[in-house]
Amino acid sequence: MKDKLIIFDTTLRDGEQSPGASMTRDEKVRIAKALERMKVDVIEAGFPAASPGDFEAVEAVAKAVKNSTVCGLARALEKDIDKAGMALKAAESSRIHTFIATSPIHMQMKLQMQPEQVIELAVKAVKRALQYTDNVEFSPEDAGRSEEDFLCRILEAVIDAGATTLNIPDTVGYSVPHQFGATIGNLIQRIPNSDKAIFSVHCHNDLGLAVANSLAAVMNGARQVECTINGLGERAGNAALEEVVMAVRTRQDVFPCDTTLDTTEIMTCSRLISTITGFPVQPNKAIVGANAFAHESGIHQDGVLKSRETYEIMRAEDVGWAANRMVLGKHSGRNAFKTRMTELGFEFTSEAELNEAFFRFKQLADKKHEIFDEDLQALISEVSVSAEDEYIKLIALSVCSETGEVPTARVTLRIDNQEMTGSSNGSGAVDASLKAIESLVNTHAILELYSVNNITNGTDSQGEVTIRLDKAGRIVNGLGADTDIVIASAKAYINAVNKLQAPNQRRHPQKGDV
Ligand code: KIV
Ligand code: ZN
């Protein structure tokens, strides 16, 4: 019997720390439900002390999720731990994850504390967390640059205090696989009470080694890996869940453990995260990239046709690629639509929400004959923007773009229940439209990113536009999808502006919040 490898997903916490990847409470609940369906063991839902919005999101996830453990992050401070404990109250199974930095540079420069003080705070934090749950995880932040002797001392002390999971983070992505693996092996061997806790790793991808480091740790005794869907996360991101899970599953000849994940849900989760955050997946990304199972070369195609195993080490359907098929069309009924949406992980909260979604689906089906899962996922994102978050709504847009003429746009918006019309010219139809919108909403935000992706193939495909706005350090991503990319762009801009303006969209700590 092989050991179980625990999968701890931190997309909703560390993943959300990617600039612009902040998510609303409802988006977090949708993602958490998708992770639960995939049978992720632990879902880190957020950092409750960071902001009221984060607290609410963790609370909502704790209420919604039944079959995975829901975890909240807390610094080694009483007030953080109390907030985490309160946010997790409704969870069927909860965990508090507390951390404090242990590297010389962090202790001296950031904390300005002596190592003994750090140990004392860590032990106090674990004991405090135990007042709320018996499932307590401790992380020595920047362990990748901490001294092994000190790690042994602090980890032994927190196990004695009652921590049941010890997570070793490579916070700055500095480690290399053979050395990181050896550190994990040494810690397990040297810490006298190490058998009373599960060792976990949390690797960042600054050198592109997050997955390799995580797997080296697993080979040396780690039995929990912290990771994110699509490798989202602070700076270059975290270890990608799909890569860790599929490496272990595919190479069972090498790994002494396996996960209990339903890997066929991977693609659904990947698309959902990409749509919600506006972070596209690069085509050559392992497992979830559009080209991950595509064979271009004639020799490869010939080989695969004769025997799949000649060039494929995994089956596309095992990670959910089979779901990438045409599912619905113009004549599909409400029931078929609802069933497919449910399969994609979307649960309608009311009849009105289903009606609105079905109406939008029919509108899309009139413009586009074949409706793919990706189209439905983009549609879900639009429908799930609740009315209260839609402070600004697009009513009408007309553009005039002719060769040799300056493009112009005229836009009508409903802002706080009042209709207003503005117009502008620009260097192109998109530029003119966004300027016309800006003339009405006056955000004065900086446009940091504008990108267009076609959701499926063909010229009738929907274009999915991502817009990133930065207003005084507050970064938001807006998304819009439409078969007309000028309209998709306008929708994306309005979506971003709504995020900037809506008072209930406070979320993850952004630059300097904590
Ligand atoms: O990277 C890191 O060190 C973290 C900790 C909070 C575990 O995210
Ligand atoms: Zn991290």
Side-chain angles (χ1 to χ4, degrees), residues 13-14 171 202 204 234 238:
R13 199 277 298 169
D14 214 321
T171 304
H202 173 114
H204 279 272
E234 183 90 42
N238 290 63

Side-chain angles (χ1 to χ4, degrees), residues 13-14 73 97 99 139 141-142 167 169-171 202 204 226:
R13 199 277 298 169
D14 214 321
L73 183 70
H97 174 193
F99 71 99
S139 288
E141 191 192 5
D142 202 16
N167 178 48
D170 182 23
T171 304
H202 173 114
H204 279 272
E226 300 200 355

Side-chain angles (χ1 to χ4, degrees), residues 237-298:
N238 290 63
L241 176 145
E242 60 278 7
E243 294 178 22
V244 170
V245 169
M246 289 316 290
V248 171
R249 181 67 51 87
T250 306
R251 295 306 307 270
Q252 277 293 291
D253 56 325
V254 170
F255 289 98
C257 52
D258 198 5
T259 73
T260 47
L261 250 68
D262 178 357
T263 60
T264 61
E265 293 289 332
I266 284 177
M267 276 313 300
T268 302
C269 286
S270 168
R271 285 200 208 107
L272 185 63
I273 305 298
S274 169
T275 308
I276 286 177
T277 59
F279 279 59
V281 173
Q282 75 194 55
N284 58 331
K285 162 86 180 60
I287 319 292
V288 294
N291 293 348
F293 292 89
H295 298 279
E296 175 66 21
S297 118

Side-chain angles (χ1 to χ4, degrees), residues 100-108 140-143 145-147 150:
I100 190 164
T102 51
S103 62
I105 182 167
H106 276 228
M107 289 194 288
Q108 281 158 25
E141 191 192 5
D142 202 16
R145 292 187 300 172
S146 301
E147 287 163 5
F150 184 59

